[in-house]
Structures are given as C-alpha cells and as structure tokens.
C-alpha cells in the first residue's frame, strides 16, 4: 500500500538536489529533536529523524549550509515518511524553506548544482 503522506506528483521535486548528510536540530513550539539531512535543494531538504511532526507544521531547523556557521531557518513539513515502512528507507520528513533569503537561495542552488552528477 502506498504511503499517503509521500509527495504526490504535483509536490515532487522541482529543484536539483544533492545527497549530503548534515546534522540538523529541529525546534517546534515545545520540543527539540536532532536528525540529519539525506539530501538538500534550493527548495528544502529531507530530514531523517524518528520525530513525528504533522503536515503543515512550521519548525525551526538549525544547520550549516555550504560549510558556513550554523543558522536557523523556518521550514514547513510538506510530507512524512514513516519509520519502518515497506520502502526500507529511513523515516523522516520533507520540509520546505520558508525564509531563505534570495542571495542564500542562489548560493545554495549553485552549491547543489556543482555537486549534482549528470546521469
């Protein structure tokens, strides 16, 4: 059975993405969790974590992009992949950046594009 919280065709990736692992701290109104990215793009990232947040929840994530100092970013949960699902992939969630400044979005996309291999 397909996971109804996985991204639909309309929500699937529209940006190039780069597989990379970076530690991520997650903050909601009253909780703190740690996870790590599996991939990142100009639009957002996948965070592998056992923490469960509902679709649409806004979170603060702290991570270092492109080797810089750790910064906090506002994100929204777009889809969730339950831990231990049939896919055998780690549980976690796809989040979309909400407050990434244009200059940082451009730098991030250039960084991602420089690491993406042509297939």
């Amino acid at each position: 059975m397909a996971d109804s919280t996985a991204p639909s065709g309309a929500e699937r990736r529209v940006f190039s993405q780069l597989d990379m692992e970076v530690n991520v701290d997650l903050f909601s109104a009253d909780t703190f969790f740690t996870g790590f990215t599996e991939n990142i793009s100009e639009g957002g990232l996948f965070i592998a974590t056992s923490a469960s947040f509902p679709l649409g929840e806004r979170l603060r994530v702290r991570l270092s992009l492109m080797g810089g100092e750790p910064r906090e970013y506002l994100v929204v949960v777009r889809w969730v992949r339950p831990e231990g699902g049939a896919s055998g992939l780690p549980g976690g969630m796809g989040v979309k950046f909400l407050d990434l400044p244009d200059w940082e979005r451009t730098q991030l996309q250039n960084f991602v594009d420089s690491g993406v291999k042509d297939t």
Side-chain angles (χ1 to χ4, degrees), residues 57-61 73-77 95-98:
E57 180 156 351
R58 290 176 181 230
L59 305 168
R60 286 248 165 234
V61 297
Y73 299 91
L74 181 62
V75 298
V76 62
V77 177
V95 299
K96 176 183 174 183
F97 290 116
L98 294 178

Side-chain angles (χ1 to χ4, degrees), residues 31-54:
T31 56
F32 168 81
F33 292 94
T34 298
F36 64 90
T37 64
E38 283 197 350
N39 56 60
I40 190 165
S41 77
E42 165 190 352
L45 54 140
F46 175 77
I47 303 172
T49 180
S50 59
S52 179
F53 294 96

Side-chain angles (χ1 to χ4, degrees), residues 13-32:
R13 179 179 341 114
V14 294
F15 302 106
S16 299
Q17 73 176 23
L18 179 62
D19 293 340
M20 62 184 294
E21 189 172 310
V22 176
N23 290 330
V24 178
D25 295 327
L26 308 162
F27 305 88
S28 68
D30 57 354
T31 56
F32 168 81

